[in-house]
Amino acid sequence: MRFNRARAEHDNSRPRGFSGAAALSLASCAALALSGTAAANTSNGYNLPIGVTDLSQAMYGLHMEVFWICVAIAVVVFGVMIYSLVTFRQSKGAIPDTTMVHSTKVEIIWTVIPVLILVVMAVPAADLILKQEDTRNSELSIRVTGYQWKWQYQYMNAGEGVDFFSTLKQDSNFARQLGSGIDPKTVPNYLLDVDKPLVIPSGTKVRLLLTSMDVIHAWWVPDFGAKRSAIPGYVNELWFKVDPGKEGIYRGQCAALCGRDHGFMPVVVDVRTPDDFKKWVEDQKAASKQAGAPAPAVPADPPTSARVIN
Ligand SMILES: [Cu+2]
């Protein structure tokens, strides 16, 4: 799986697997669901990443909660079904009851129980959606604009004035060319690396304002539990707060089929401590002052005839 490699870079706790046999009893289901929500970067590689933000961990917790509810339902339903098939089979002399054709009591029970289960799942799900949408009190806003096939990051608040494009790193770009003769396996983080990553501080509520200048793109970093479409003419919001101590490089990709080079516009986020971030902002401002460049020009696009617009 492609993102395993990315996760390994900041993986500070080994995956904890779930025992398959444990699914047989409700008590052990509940215990495992709790252990499954413990904070860690990564699950066992077969599951969603647990991630490094409040939201990603809450999403993983909800996902596991719903998963174990489904397991419990399956155990009860299949248990009753298999027991009935075995116990009341014809060879054992079972005689079908042909008199019972309708039972209002049964109909009420099998309507009310699923409704209650749905409510039990809907309450935490609605709560999490509200939390996801609550971009109030963000401490750093960054405008993110999708282009075919690169991202532009324009900082506001503490990073006001920092503005750059983030494009596929050159070694990946050379290796991907037809007949390049370069083995992609020799390129570190092949197609998942950029020339300039998005730099953000840890422990800070970061709000992204997403839009696009051409087609629909989607900004996606699985470890942040963050994915949202960047749509021309619209501004979508997204927020995340990386836990302090989880500084490092996180990788994602454009998650919308945005044209020919859709696979070549990765997202890389460099999470630094607030002090390191401050220093980075000062360095960026000093560098752009020295260069005297007010705003970066859009890097050259491929010829229009070669572009595919979805
Ligand atoms: Cu895209």
Side-chain angles (χ1 to χ4, degrees):
M1 198 180 153
R2 185 177 271 180
F3 285 106
N4 283 350
R5 191 174 39 176
R7 282 193 216 116
E9 289 171 12
H10 44 78
D11 180 13
N12 53 13
S13 68
R14 290 316 305 152
R16 294 140 298 107
F18 296 113
S19 154
L24 293 173
S25 82
L26 282 180
S28 54
C29 288
L32 281 166
L34 284 175
S35 74
T37 54
N41 281 7
T42 175
S43 55
N44 52 20
Y46 295 99
N47 206 340
L48 296 178
I50 298 168
V52 292
T53 63
D54 287 0
L55 281 183
S56 69
Q57 284 156 18
M59 283 173 201
Y60 184 83
L62 178 65
H63 159 71
M64 290 313 297
E65 202 178 305
V66 173
F67 172 76
W68 287 117
I69 288 174
C70 293
V71 169
I73 293 170
V75 168
V76 171
V77 171
F78 285 108
V80 170
M81 203 173 86
I82 292 165
Y83 170 79
S84 308
L85 286 170
V86 173
T87 314
F88 304 106
R89 61 187 193 271
Q90 198 181 23
S91 61
K92 268 189 130 189
I95 300 157
D97 178 1
T98 51
T99 56
M100 194 187 114
V101 288
H102 181 79
S103 167
T104 309
K105 203 203 277 179
V106 167
E107 292 219 355
I108 290 172
I109 291 171
W110 74 32
T111 305
V112 169
I113 291 178
V115 166
L116 289 178
I117 294 170
L118 286 177
V119 170
V120 164
M121 293 196 287
V123 169
D127 191 49
L128 184 54
I129 288 173
L130 290 176
K131 204 173 161 197
Q132 243 179 309
E133 297 300 322
D134 184 6
T135 54
R136 288 174 300 173
N137 303 321
S138 61
E139 295 150 273
L140 174 67
S141 294
I142 303 166
R143 279 205 296 262
V144 179
T145 310
Y147 291 81
Q148 284 177 316
W149 289 273
K150 55 197 151 268
W151 296 100
Q152 183 181 20
Y153 298 117
Q154 295 168 291
Y155 287 66
M156 294 148 91
N157 311 109
E160 187 70 53
V162 177
D163 179 350
F164 59 88
F165 283 89
S166 180
T167 48
L168 182 67
K169 208 169 180 188
Q170 268 199 335
D171 53 0
S172 284
N173 201 22
F174 289 144
R176 80 178 177 93
Q177 309 292 334
L178 201 61
S180 70
I182 304 168
D183 180 3
K185 291 195 184 83
T186 62
V187 179
N189 298 306
Y190 178 60
L191 301 184
L192 287 173
D193 218 351
V194 294
D195 53 354
K196 286 190 84 175
L198 174 70
V199 179
I200 59 157
S202 58
T204 306
K205 185 168 181 176
V206 178
R207 178 177 66 143
L208 301 188
L209 298 165
L210 291 146
T211 190
S212 167
M213 287 300 279
D214 38 45
V215 299
I216 297 175
H217 300 272
W219 197 92
W220 176 43
V221 176
D223 278 316
F224 294 176
K227 180 184 168 199
R228 192 136 294 185
S229 295
I231 304 169
Y234 288 87
V235 178
N236 276 342
E237 284 183 302
L238 172 70
W239 77 270
F240 46 82
K241 186 176 182 175
V242 178
D243 297 340
K246 295 287 184 187
E247 292 82 10
I249 302 287
Y250 296 92
R251 297 177 198 280
Q253 285 176 307
C254 174
L257 289 170
C258 59
R260 188 193 64 191
D261 287 358
H262 155 66
F264 310 121
M265 54 180 297
V267 174
V268 180
V269 185
D270 182 356
V271 183
R272 300 188 184 188
T273 60
D275 285 345
D276 283 353
F277 173 75
K278 223 170 159 184
K279 199 176 165 304
W280 175 82
V281 169
E282 280 160 20
D283 289 349
Q284 297 303 302
K285 285 182 181 172
S288 66
K289 210 178 245 177
Q290 210 172 23
V298 181
D301 278 346
T304 315
S305 58
R307 292 169 67 180
V308 178
I309 298 175
N310 285 345

